[in-house]
Amino acid sequence: MKLLPIFVLLFGTYPATHAQANPPNAPLPSALASAQKIFLGNAGATDNADCLRAYNGFYGGLSNDPSIQLVLDPASADLVLELNYELRPGAVSGPHAAADTAFARQFRLVLLEPHTHTVLWSLTEAENNAVFQSNRNKNLDSAVVNLLADFKALRASANPNSPASPKANHP
């Protein structure tokens, strides 16, 4: 019976402490929203067809954004993006685990301040595993599209005046 008051004390306050666990969103680096000139670097293997496919797809998606001007020199950029194509850490499970392990891949987009080389943010998009090349191509393309959408959403949320920003809806 002595445990009951301790139990109530510990777990009876859970809703009050849980409500405080979600602090307000911290501001994002301003360069994420204000950057107009962007340099895209390929940090993947240039002799790997999948890396080049991902780089070309991501570059094409950025070039379709009218708010972005892609530059060929990182020194003239407001923001440097580094596209990494890498093996995803961790075990792969499923009916084709042995075959899929070789294809457990992900994309990581590192956003850098071009003058100080400070990492401002990082986004990761896992690629679904596939045994057949045609499915790997579809999954790769889908992961690139998702990473591009993640990048655009991050830029929008970094701009407090953007309609997509959660802060734009609050005074």
mmCIF file of all heavy atoms in Angstrom, residues 94-129:
data_model
loop_
_atom_site.group_PDB
_atom_site.id
_atom_site.type_symbol
_atom_site.label_atom_id
_atom_site.label_comp_id
_atom_site.label_asym_id
_atom_site.label_seq_id
_atom_site.Cartn_x
_atom_site.Cartn_y
_atom_site.Cartn_z
ATOM 1 N N GLY A 94 12.653 -9.036 -44.184
ATOM 2 C CA GLY A 94 11.675 -9.319 -45.221
ATOM 3 C C GLY A 94 12.040 -10.567 -45.973
ATOM 4 O O GLY A 94 13.090 -11.185 -45.732
ATOM 5 N N PRO A 95 11.212 -10.965 -46.933
ATOM 6 C CA PRO A 95 11.423 -12.238 -47.631
ATOM 7 C C PRO A 95 12.694 -12.251 -48.478
ATOM 8 O O PRO A 95 13.247 -13.302 -48.747
ATOM 9 C CB PRO A 95 10.175 -12.391 -48.496
ATOM 10 C CG PRO A 95 9.618 -11.024 -48.628
ATOM 11 C CD PRO A 95 10.002 -10.288 -47.372
ATOM 12 N N HIS A 96 13.162 -11.094 -48.910
ATOM 13 C CA HIS A 96 14.367 -11.029 -49.747
ATOM 14 C C HIS A 96 15.494 -10.317 -49.013
ATOM 15 O O HIS A 96 16.285 -9.613 -49.627
ATOM 16 C CB HIS A 96 14.069 -10.304 -51.062
ATOM 17 C CG HIS A 96 12.967 -10.914 -51.848
ATOM 18 N ND1 HIS A 96 13.109 -12.119 -52.497
ATOM 19 C CD2 HIS A 96 11.694 -10.513 -52.065
ATOM 20 C CE1 HIS A 96 11.973 -12.426 -53.102
ATOM 21 N NE2 HIS A 96 11.095 -11.469 -52.850
ATOM 22 N N ALA A 97 15.588 -10.493 -47.699
ATOM 23 C CA ALA A 97 16.550 -9.746 -46.886
ATOM 24 C C ALA A 97 17.975 -9.919 -47.380
ATOM 25 O O ALA A 97 18.733 -8.955 -47.445
ATOM 26 C CB ALA A 97 16.434 -10.157 -45.420
ATOM 27 N N ALA A 98 18.353 -11.124 -47.742
ATOM 28 C CA ALA A 98 19.728 -11.350 -48.181
ATOM 29 C C ALA A 98 20.024 -10.572 -49.459
ATOM 30 O O ALA A 98 21.075 -9.954 -49.595
ATOM 31 C CB ALA A 98 19.977 -12.841 -48.394
ATOM 32 N N ALA A 99 19.102 -10.570 -50.391
ATOM 33 C CA ALA A 99 19.303 -9.831 -51.637
ATOM 34 C C ALA A 99 19.116 -8.340 -51.429
ATOM 35 O O ALA A 99 19.825 -7.535 -52.013
ATOM 36 C CB ALA A 99 18.320 -10.324 -52.696
ATOM 37 N N ASP A 100 18.156 -7.959 -50.587
ATOM 38 C CA ASP A 100 17.857 -6.546 -50.384
ATOM 39 C C ASP A 100 18.955 -5.809 -49.634
ATOM 40 O O ASP A 100 19.096 -4.604 -49.768
ATOM 41 C CB ASP A 100 16.548 -6.371 -49.606
ATOM 42 C CG ASP A 100 15.328 -6.697 -50.446
ATOM 43 O OD1 ASP A 100 15.495 -6.873 -51.664
ATOM 44 O OD2 ASP A 100 14.236 -6.763 -49.876
ATOM 45 N N THR A 101 19.752 -6.504 -48.831
ATOM 46 C CA THR A 101 20.778 -5.839 -48.043
ATOM 47 C C THR A 101 21.723 -5.055 -48.933
ATOM 48 O O THR A 101 22.158 -3.973 -48.588
ATOM 49 C CB THR A 101 21.555 -6.872 -47.195
ATOM 50 O OG1 THR A 101 20.618 -7.528 -46.365
ATOM 51 C CG2 THR A 101 22.605 -6.220 -46.354
ATOM 52 N N ALA A 102 22.024 -5.577 -50.102
ATOM 53 C CA ALA A 102 22.917 -4.877 -51.017
ATOM 54 C C ALA A 102 22.274 -3.605 -51.562
ATOM 55 O O ALA A 102 22.969 -2.735 -52.078
ATOM 56 C CB ALA A 102 23.306 -5.789 -52.166
ATOM 57 N N PHE A 103 20.965 -3.493 -51.450
ATOM 58 C CA PHE A 103 20.271 -2.351 -52.027
ATOM 59 C C PHE A 103 19.592 -1.466 -50.977
ATOM 60 O O PHE A 103 18.697 -0.716 -51.297
ATOM 61 C CB PHE A 103 19.240 -2.835 -53.047
ATOM 62 C CG PHE A 103 19.834 -3.734 -54.085
ATOM 63 C CD1 PHE A 103 19.503 -5.073 -54.147
ATOM 64 C CD2 PHE A 103 20.762 -3.247 -54.979
ATOM 65 C CE1 PHE A 103 20.052 -5.907 -55.084
ATOM 66 C CE2 PHE A 103 21.334 -4.075 -55.938
ATOM 67 C CZ PHE A 103 20.978 -5.409 -55.985
ATOM 68 N N ALA A 104 20.009 -1.606 -49.715
ATOM 69 C CA ALA A 104 19.444 -0.766 -48.657
ATOM 70 C C ALA A 104 20.120 0.602 -48.749
ATOM 71 O O ALA A 104 21.168 0.826 -48.168
ATOM 72 C CB ALA A 104 19.680 -1.407 -47.291
ATOM 73 N N ARG A 105 19.511 1.491 -49.514
ATOM 74 C CA ARG A 105 20.155 2.772 -49.812
ATOM 75 C C ARG A 105 19.301 3.916 -49.305
ATOM 76 O O ARG A 105 18.115 3.769 -49.075
ATOM 77 C CB ARG A 105 20.368 2.885 -51.321
ATOM 78 C CG ARG A 105 21.164 1.725 -51.861
ATOM 79 C CD ARG A 105 21.318 1.750 -53.341
ATOM 80 N NE ARG A 105 20.037 1.589 -54.034
ATOM 81 C CZ ARG A 105 19.918 1.437 -55.336
ATOM 82 N NH1 ARG A 105 20.975 1.409 -56.101
ATOM 83 N NH2 ARG A 105 18.750 1.311 -55.900
ATOM 84 N N GLN A 106 19.961 5.065 -49.171
ATOM 85 C CA GLN A 106 19.260 6.282 -48.768
ATOM 86 C C GLN A 106 19.963 7.482 -49.389
ATOM 87 O O GLN A 106 21.113 7.401 -49.812
ATOM 88 C CB GLN A 106 19.205 6.415 -47.254
ATOM 89 C CG GLN A 106 20.528 6.692 -46.593
ATOM 90 C CD GLN A 106 20.404 6.745 -45.077
ATOM 91 O OE1 GLN A 106 19.450 6.258 -44.506
ATOM 92 N NE2 GLN A 106 21.382 7.342 -44.426
ATOM 93 N N PHE A 107 19.223 8.580 -49.404
ATOM 94 C CA PHE A 107 19.782 9.849 -49.848
ATOM 95 C C PHE A 107 19.871 10.765 -48.646
ATOM 96 O O PHE A 107 18.958 10.817 -47.833
ATOM 97 C CB PHE A 107 18.875 10.515 -50.890
ATOM 98 C CG PHE A 107 18.754 9.725 -52.146
ATOM 99 C CD1 PHE A 107 17.690 8.879 -52.353
ATOM 100 C CD2 PHE A 107 19.720 9.811 -53.124
ATOM 101 C CE1 PHE A 107 17.568 8.133 -53.506
ATOM 102 C CE2 PHE A 107 19.617 9.069 -54.284
ATOM 103 C CZ PHE A 107 18.538 8.236 -54.476
ATOM 104 N N ARG A 108 20.969 11.473 -48.542
ATOM 105 C CA ARG A 108 21.109 12.476 -47.491
ATOM 106 C C ARG A 108 21.482 13.777 -48.180
ATOM 107 O O ARG A 108 22.429 13.835 -48.958
ATOM 108 C CB ARG A 108 22.171 12.069 -46.475
ATOM 109 C CG ARG A 108 22.220 12.976 -45.264
ATOM 110 C CD ARG A 108 23.053 12.387 -44.138
ATOM 111 N NE ARG A 108 24.266 11.740 -44.579
ATOM 112 C CZ ARG A 108 25.454 12.342 -44.675
ATOM 113 N NH1 ARG A 108 25.589 13.614 -44.371
ATOM 114 N NH2 ARG A 108 26.506 11.668 -45.084
ATOM 115 N N LEU A 109 20.713 14.807 -47.910
ATOM 116 C CA LEU A 109 20.975 16.124 -48.463
ATOM 117 C C LEU A 109 21.481 16.992 -47.321
ATOM 118 O O LEU A 109 20.762 17.258 -46.359
ATOM 119 C CB LEU A 109 19.699 16.727 -49.064
ATOM 120 C CG LEU A 109 19.875 18.059 -49.786
ATOM 121 C CD1 LEU A 109 20.713 17.868 -51.054
ATOM 122 C CD2 LEU A 109 18.519 18.657 -50.133
ATOM 123 N N VAL A 110 22.738 17.407 -47.428
ATOM 124 C CA VAL A 110 23.352 18.256 -46.409
ATOM 125 C C VAL A 110 23.340 19.680 -46.932
ATOM 126 O O VAL A 110 23.789 19.941 -48.052
ATOM 127 C CB VAL A 110 24.789 17.789 -46.087
ATOM 128 C CG1 VAL A 110 25.419 18.680 -45.033
ATOM 129 C CG2 VAL A 110 24.786 16.341 -45.637
ATOM 130 N N LEU A 111 22.807 20.604 -46.128
ATOM 131 C CA LEU A 111 22.713 22.006 -46.504
ATOM 132 C C LEU A 111 23.809 22.769 -45.774
ATOM 133 O O LEU A 111 23.865 22.760 -44.544
ATOM 134 C CB LEU A 111 21.336 22.573 -46.140
ATOM 135 C CG LEU A 111 20.164 22.055 -46.969
ATOM 136 C CD1 LEU A 111 19.879 20.596 -46.740
ATOM 137 C CD2 LEU A 111 18.926 22.860 -46.664
ATOM 138 N N LEU A 112 24.668 23.411 -46.545
ATOM 139 C CA LEU A 112 25.844 24.078 -45.996
ATOM 140 C C LEU A 112 25.836 25.568 -46.288
ATOM 141 O O LEU A 112 25.430 26.003 -47.371
ATOM 142 C CB LEU A 112 27.120 23.481 -46.605
ATOM 143 C CG LEU A 112 27.331 21.990 -46.426
ATOM 144 C CD1 LEU A 112 28.257 21.436 -47.494
ATOM 145 C CD2 LEU A 112 27.895 21.737 -45.052
ATOM 146 N N GLU A 113 26.349 26.331 -45.343
ATOM 147 C CA GLU A 113 26.609 27.750 -45.565
ATOM 148 C C GLU A 113 27.903 27.793 -46.377
ATOM 149 O O GLU A 113 28.910 27.220 -45.967
ATOM 150 C CB GLU A 113 26.749 28.470 -44.218
ATOM 151 C CG GLU A 113 26.588 29.980 -44.290
ATOM 152 C CD GLU A 113 27.778 30.696 -44.888
ATOM 153 O OE1 GLU A 113 28.920 30.236 -44.699
ATOM 154 O OE2 GLU A 113 27.575 31.702 -45.573
ATOM 155 N N PRO A 114 27.918 28.439 -47.548
ATOM 156 C CA PRO A 114 29.060 28.299 -48.456
ATOM 157 C C PRO A 114 30.365 28.956 -47.983
ATOM 158 O O PRO A 114 31.432 28.532 -48.396
ATOM 159 C CB PRO A 114 28.573 28.947 -49.752
ATOM 160 C CG PRO A 114 27.467 29.840 -49.351
ATOM 161 C CD PRO A 114 26.846 29.227 -48.125
ATOM 162 N N HIS A 115 30.284 29.946 -47.136
ATOM 163 C CA HIS A 115 31.504 30.665 -46.753
ATOM 164 C C HIS A 115 32.169 30.081 -45.513
ATOM 165 O O HIS A 115 33.388 30.053 -45.419
ATOM 166 C CB HIS A 115 31.196 32.151 -46.580
ATOM 167 C CG HIS A 115 30.523 32.724 -47.795
ATOM 168 N ND1 HIS A 115 31.158 32.862 -49.011
ATOM 169 C CD2 HIS A 115 29.260 33.142 -48.002
ATOM 170 C CE1 HIS A 115 30.314 33.352 -49.903
ATOM 171 N NE2 HIS A 115 29.144 33.524 -49.313
ATOM 172 N N THR A 116 31.379 29.596 -44.569
ATOM 173 C CA THR A 116 31.931 29.007 -43.346
ATOM 174 C C THR A 116 31.914 27.486 -43.381
ATOM 175 O O THR A 116 32.504 26.849 -42.520
ATOM 176 C CB THR A 116 31.142 29.471 -42.112
ATOM 177 O OG1 THR A 116 29.801 28.975 -42.201
ATOM 178 C CG2 THR A 116 31.140 30.987 -41.990
ATOM 179 N N HIS A 117 31.216 26.920 -44.351
ATOM 180 C CA HIS A 117 31.047 25.471 -44.500
ATOM 181 C C HIS A 117 30.332 24.849 -43.290
ATOM 182 O O HIS A 117 30.472 23.670 -43.012
ATOM 183 C CB HIS A 117 32.392 24.776 -44.737
ATOM 184 C CG HIS A 117 33.159 25.364 -45.869
ATOM 185 N ND1 HIS A 117 32.787 25.200 -47.181
ATOM 186 C CD2 HIS A 117 34.264 26.161 -45.871
ATOM 187 C CE1 HIS A 117 33.629 25.855 -47.951
ATOM 188 N NE2 HIS A 117 34.521 26.448 -47.198
ATOM 189 N N THR A 118 29.536 25.658 -42.622
ATOM 190 C CA THR A 118 28.752 25.187 -41.490
ATOM 191 C C THR A 118 27.546 24.398 -41.994
ATOM 192 O O THR A 118 26.842 24.845 -42.903
ATOM 193 C CB THR A 118 28.261 26.383 -40.645
ATOM 194 O OG1 THR A 118 29.393 27.127 -40.211
ATOM 195 C CG2 THR A 118 27.438 25.932 -39.460
ATOM 196 N N VAL A 119 27.321 23.244 -41.403
ATOM 197 C CA VAL A 119 26.139 22.466 -41.748
ATOM 198 C C VAL A 119 24.932 23.150 -41.125
ATOM 199 O O VAL A 119 24.858 23.335 -39.913
ATOM 200 C CB VAL A 119 26.242 21.009 -41.233
ATOM 201 C CG1 VAL A 119 24.938 20.264 -41.475
ATOM 202 C CG2 VAL A 119 27.407 20.290 -41.893
ATOM 203 N N LEU A 120 23.984 23.564 -41.958
ATOM 204 C CA LEU A 120 22.781 24.241 -41.487
ATOM 205 C C LEU A 120 21.652 23.254 -41.213
ATOM 206 O O LEU A 120 20.842 23.451 -40.304
ATOM 207 C CB LEU A 120 22.312 25.273 -42.515
ATOM 208 C CG LEU A 120 23.312 26.365 -42.867
ATOM 209 C CD1 LEU A 120 22.744 27.239 -43.983
ATOM 210 C CD2 LEU A 120 23.652 27.197 -41.638
ATOM 211 N N TRP A 121 21.594 22.204 -42.013
ATOM 212 C CA TRP A 121 20.499 21.240 -41.882
ATOM 213 C C TRP A 121 20.865 20.001 -42.673
ATOM 214 O O TRP A 121 21.746 20.036 -43.540
ATOM 215 C CB TRP A 121 19.203 21.847 -42.436
ATOM 216 C CG TRP A 121 17.975 21.300 -41.792
ATOM 217 C CD1 TRP A 121 17.174 20.297 -42.269
ATOM 218 C CD2 TRP A 121 17.413 21.707 -40.550
ATOM 219 N NE1 TRP A 121 16.140 20.069 -41.399
ATOM 220 C CE2 TRP A 121 16.263 20.925 -40.327
ATOM 221 C CE3 TRP A 121 17.770 22.650 -39.605
ATOM 222 C CZ2 TRP A 121 15.470 21.052 -39.218
ATOM 223 C CZ3 TRP A 121 16.979 22.797 -38.485
ATOM 224 C CH2 TRP A 121 15.839 22.002 -38.298
ATOM 225 N N SER A 122 20.153 18.929 -42.411
ATOM 226 C CA SER A 122 20.343 17.690 -43.147
ATOM 227 C C SER A 122 18.992 17.004 -43.297
ATOM 228 O O SER A 122 18.206 16.984 -42.358
ATOM 229 C CB SER A 122 21.324 16.789 -42.383
ATOM 230 O OG SER A 122 21.486 15.570 -43.050
ATOM 231 N N LEU A 123 18.742 16.473 -44.466
ATOM 232 C CA LEU A 123 17.509 15.739 -44.752
ATOM 233 C C LEU A 123 17.882 14.355 -45.255
ATOM 234 O O LEU A 123 18.844 14.205 -46.015
ATOM 235 C CB LEU A 123 16.685 16.460 -45.821
ATOM 236 C CG LEU A 123 16.213 17.873 -45.500
ATOM 237 C CD1 LEU A 123 15.706 18.559 -46.762
ATOM 238 C CD2 LEU A 123 15.130 17.826 -44.448
ATOM 239 N N THR A 124 17.134 13.351 -44.848
ATOM 240 C CA THR A 124 17.402 11.981 -45.282
ATOM 241 C C THR A 124 16.115 11.359 -45.801
ATOM 242 O O THR A 124 15.056 11.519 -45.216
ATOM 243 C CB THR A 124 17.945 11.132 -44.109
ATOM 244 O OG1 THR A 124 19.115 11.762 -43.600
ATOM 245 C CG2 THR A 124 18.281 9.734 -44.557
ATOM 246 N N GLU A 125 16.247 10.659 -46.911
ATOM 247 C CA GLU A 125 15.112 9.956 -47.503
ATOM 248 C C GLU A 125 15.571 8.546 -47.843
ATOM 249 O O GLU A 125 16.492 8.349 -48.643
ATOM 250 C CB GLU A 125 14.637 10.687 -48.762
ATOM 251 C CG GLU A 125 13.350 10.207 -49.323
ATOM 252 C CD GLU A 125 12.151 10.498 -48.438
ATOM 253 O OE1 GLU A 125 12.024 11.617 -47.917
ATOM 254 O OE2 GLU A 125 11.334 9.571 -48.288
ATOM 255 N N ALA A 126 14.949 7.565 -47.216
ATOM 256 C CA ALA A 126 15.295 6.165 -47.475
ATOM 257 C C ALA A 126 14.654 5.712 -48.774
ATOM 258 O O ALA A 126 13.550 6.121 -49.119
ATOM 259 C CB ALA A 126 14.828 5.286 -46.320
ATOM 260 N N GLU A 127 15.370 4.865 -49.473
ATOM 261 C CA GLU A 127 14.853 4.287 -50.711
ATOM 262 C C GLU A 127 14.336 2.899 -50.389
ATOM 263 O O GLU A 127 14.988 2.128 -49.680
ATOM 264 C CB GLU A 127 15.979 4.206 -51.734
ATOM 265 C CG GLU A 127 15.570 3.597 -53.033
ATOM 266 C CD GLU A 127 16.743 3.426 -53.978
ATOM 267 O OE1 GLU A 127 17.782 4.046 -53.785
ATOM 268 O OE2 GLU A 127 16.581 2.633 -54.925
ATOM 269 N N ASN A 128 13.168 2.572 -50.882
ATOM 270 C CA ASN A 128 12.630 1.227 -50.679
ATOM 271 C C ASN A 128 13.496 0.218 -51.415
ATOM 272 O O ASN A 128 13.955 0.470 -52.528
ATOM 273 C CB ASN A 128 11.189 1.141 -51.170
ATOM 274 C CG ASN A 128 10.244 1.898 -50.281
ATOM 275 O OD1 ASN A 128 10.454 2.003 -49.080
ATOM 276 N ND2 ASN A 128 9.191 2.447 -50.869
ATOM 277 N N ASN A 129 13.693 -0.902 -50.796
ATOM 278 C CA ASN A 129 14.526 -1.946 -51.385
ATOM 279 C C ASN A 129 13.802 -2.629 -52.539
ATOM 280 O O ASN A 129 12.575 -2.728 -52.538
ATOM 281 C CB ASN A 129 14.872 -2.988 -50.319
ATOM 282 C CG ASN A 129 15.605 -2.369 -49.159
ATOM 283 O OD1 ASN A 129 16.386 -1.447 -49.337
ATOM 284 N ND2 ASN A 129 15.358 -2.864 -47.968
#
